[in-house]
């Protein structure tokens, strides 16, 4: 089944907005086992008509986003009508909804808004719970008079309107068009602590042996998603295999990030974590507190960028810093132990390192970091890592590794050996 | 001048990679006063040939990214040759560079790598300092035999190779093609603390009166860029006008973020800042420490999510919290004053609020936040804000506002009145 995307919007072409809709739609279609054959961005206005005509001649399905608003350059409805040779009706049902929507806000429907009730003849409107513009589905048979056989979906541009409509209205219809599509599911297995090639080496043969799976690897920020789509039974077997092969590196099978898994596990046990950060400057606490409910598991965090802050708030002895340097295994351990003691938490993570671009030495080059984990009643453990690259990458990978150490301890796997 | 983009890469179509190249190129072209008329993404392989042929018939310039690598599905060179009716030469100069590149790594050039020395006949190679694949410029005259008059640029896909080549090789050539293009400059004026419409109301007429400017507004994360392109003299006058009209809201005229401006101003004065964060959970410290050199201006930061942490580390009296609630003006003030005292810094920012989705009350709904700024020898000041929306948006806007209060104090503007 050949499928194309057309995104309309001048803001995409002048770079004011990054086209994340295209990537999101591409992922959703990949989950169904469909690959987009071409994606085209055109400005607002009638440029869409040429692009849509060409796409309908090449493909079986075209998904259009944008151009359903009330203004004169929102012309996706008109363009589709012209391409498929359809008259335009005014939908009484949509007009009624629009009238009610505006009445609730004490306004009459004006002529511009009424444009949103227009539907190419034979089209099926798709409800929009987050905006006034309904989507439109034009089944392939409607293009017969022009010799076309291509189904067209007209969807709104704003992501919060587009995404639910895609999930609830478009994907079920695409499944019906696909042989065996109804039974197809997709699941993401998220791993961390191993490179993409290590993961594929460990999994590829076993996953291929299960049969019937589409396998994709996607490198995230410090983690790797293995995207599997196929029949539900095969996905089930694949999940068992992934756990057997690489269980200790598996964060989640539902796209949750490591911080979400940590907050959930701590919350379940009624345990607390505290953070002591030098080079990550608050990123670990920030990531944990991005999760709703973090206030039940994180009470105290420290950004001890200066040496005196490590001493003052965490009780790291100045002589320890003088003897080993602030970026060292003993100082990381003392930071974690001090953080545990001061906060009264059950677990404390601490990091000290050199984010760069300056501050590196031959023995401790930029990117060197010590990550420590202390837990009540257990000896503190420290691991050394080296994350090359830019400051932002360093912070992402260091915070990811620290959070993963916590996840491993909570899961009973323990820290990696080295 | 009609210009189109073609980005190649299957990873873009299945959503594994977001097409940030297209947005970046669109911005760079907008700075020259050029609008992209269409942007097309095609998978790796010969799909590019059809797309390029269509684009060359419609446009004056086509910029292609990707498909210059050594593997068999990197076929941008072949596609361009086929579309323009050109033979393919092997460039001795490129082959020599490739041979040297691999020799330095102790390897011979293999047959796959030699593909990167192929150049459509008459094409001009564009040097690539960050990779092995040179770019190719095919002037419009080369397509004569096929009745085409369209200049084609073939550029590498990886951003770190693409961006310098665009800046140093493509933009100067595009300027030559544009009437008056050599004198054209572009500058971004970044504002915060006002909405996009307030800014355009204040600036639009004055900027139009200067004449000769292309004006674009771009909403960022808590700030708004006003992008001006035009003759250097007009841009100079526009800068003076922007400062006169909205100086206190102007963060930078060189794209620097508020945290970069704060670190630079503190660093210049040899002053220190400390942070005390409840609802932002470390985001303010994280943003400051994203800036290289932050260790000269930030020594101490606190994430005091729990009430007892506010008391223990910042000395906020428990009775104050009991009387007013943790989310209140007196507690925000006490957090900032305590943070200043404990850290010995010159300035301290403190925030306490309700990030949601839970925890709101009728008097203090989700999104309520108090932001306090204390500086040595000055009375602490607190402002109340309400930022609706999701948790991430709340953290972005709260941290932006807190950092902007610091910028305002350092610039001598003082905090906003309410």
């Amino acid at each position: 089944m050949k499928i194309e995307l057309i995104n309309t919007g001048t803001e995409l072409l002048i770079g004011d907005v990054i086209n994340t809709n295209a990537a999101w739609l591409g992922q959703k279609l990949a989950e169904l086992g469909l690959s987009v054959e071409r994606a085209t961005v055109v400005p607002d206005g009638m440029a869409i008509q040429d692009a849509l005509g060409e796409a309908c001649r090449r493909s079986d399905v075209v998904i259009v986003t944008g151009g359903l608003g009330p203004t004169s350059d929102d012309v996706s409805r008109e363009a589709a009508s012209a391409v498929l040779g359809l008259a335009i009706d005014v939908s009484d049902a949509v007009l009624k909804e629009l009238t009610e929507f505006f009445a609730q806000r004490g306004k009459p429907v004006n002529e511009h808004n009424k444009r949103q009730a227009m539907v190419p003849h034979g089209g099926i409107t798709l409800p929009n719970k987050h905006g006034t513009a309904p989507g439109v589905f034009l089944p392939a048979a409607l293009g017969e008079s022009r010799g076309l056989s291509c189904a067209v979906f007209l969807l709104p541009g704003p992501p919060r309107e587009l995404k639910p409509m895609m999930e609830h209205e478009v994907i079920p219809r695409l499944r019906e068009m696909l042989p065996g599509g109804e039974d197809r599911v997709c699941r993401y297995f998220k791993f961390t602590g191993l490179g993409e090639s290590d993961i594929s080496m460990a999994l590829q043969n076993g996953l291929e042996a299960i049969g019937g799976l589409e396998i994709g690897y996607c490198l995230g920020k410090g983690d790797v998603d293995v995207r599997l789509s196929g029949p539900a039974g095969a996905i089930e077997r694949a999940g068992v295999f992934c756990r057997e092969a690489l269980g200790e590196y598996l964060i989640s099978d539902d796209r949750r990030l490591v911080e979400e898994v940590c907050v959930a596990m701590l919350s379940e046990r009624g345990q607390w974590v505290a953070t002591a950060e030098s080079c990550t400057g608050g990123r670990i606490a920030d990531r944990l507190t991005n999760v709703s409910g973090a206030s039940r598991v994180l009470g105290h965090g420290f950004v001890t960028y200066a040496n005196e802050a490590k001493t003052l708030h965490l009780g790291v002895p100045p002589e320890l810093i003088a003897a080993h340097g602030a970026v060292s295994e003993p100082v990381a351990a003392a930071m974690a132990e001090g953080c545990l003691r001061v906060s009264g938490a059950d677990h404390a993570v601490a990091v000290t390192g050199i984010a760069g671009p300056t501050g590196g030495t031959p023995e401790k080059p930029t990117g060197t970091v010590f990550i420590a984990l202390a837990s009540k009643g257990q000896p503190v453990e420290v691991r050394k890592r080296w994350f090359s690259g830019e400051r932002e990458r360093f912070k992402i990978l260091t915070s990811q590794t620290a959070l993963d150490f916590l996840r491993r301890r909570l899961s009973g796997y323990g820290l990696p050996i080295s």
Side-chain angles (χ1 to χ4, degrees), chain A residues 96-212:
Chain A
K96 185 160 166 281
E97 279 177 26
L98 280 173
T99 310
E100 284 167 7
F101 177 89
F102 283 97
Q104 282 172 358
R105 282 152 186 80
K107 290 179 187 172
V109 184
N110 66 31
E111 287 308 309
H112 284 191
N113 296 118
K114 278 187 188 163
R115 290 170 46 79
Q116 299 191 308
M118 298 187 330
V119 179
H121 188 72
I124 295 157
T125 59
L126 309 175
N128 182 349
K129 285 173 195 155
H130 299 88
T132 53
V136 179
F137 169 46
L138 302 163
L142 292 181
E144 251 180 6
S145 72
R146 295 289 164 97
L148 296 170
S149 174
C150 176
V152 176
F153 291 92
L154 306 180
L155 307 180
R160 68 192 200 101
E161 302 180 30
L162 168 67
K163 289 180 180 183
M165 197 179 290
M166 181 73 187
E167 301 264 18
H168 300 129
E169 301 294 337
V170 181
I171 288 174
R173 286 180 170 87
L174 291 175
R175 276 186 194 281
E176 281 172 20
M177 298 180 201
L178 279 171
E182 294 85 350
D183 175 45
R184 210 172 172 87
V185 297
C186 178
R187 197 166 297 159
Y188 288 78
F189 294 87
K190 192 184 284 295
F191 294 93
T192 197
L194 285 179
E196 195 175 355
S197 59
D198 296 323
I199 294 169
S200 78
M201 291 271 285
L203 298 183
Q204 190 71 24
N205 288 346
L207 291 175
E208 282 176 7
I210 290 170

Side-chain angles (χ1 to χ4, degrees), chain A residues 192-273:
Chain A
T192 197
L194 285 179
E196 195 175 355
S197 59
D198 296 323
I199 294 169
S200 78
M201 291 271 285
L203 298 183
Q204 190 71 24
N205 288 346
L207 291 175
E208 282 176 7
I210 290 170
L213 293 171
E214 292 248 358
I215 308 168
Y217 295 89
C218 178
L219 192 61
K221 291 183 166 181
D223 55 30
V224 176
D225 272 329
V226 179
R227 185 187 63 235
L228 301 177
S229 68
I235 297 284
E236 217 44 58
R237 286 195 293 284
V240 172
F241 169 70
C242 284
R243 274 182 194 83
E244 275 170 11
L246 292 177
E248 68 179 297
Y249 302 98
L250 180 65
I251 302 173
S252 66
D253 62 1
D254 54 6
R255 310 209 76 178
R256 282 185 306 157
L257 303 171
V258 65
E259 53 265 40
E260 295 176 272
V261 172
C262 284
V263 169
M265 292 177 89
L266 289 165
S267 195
E268 260 170 40
R269 291 156 203 234
Q271 292 190 340
W272 293 82
V273 64

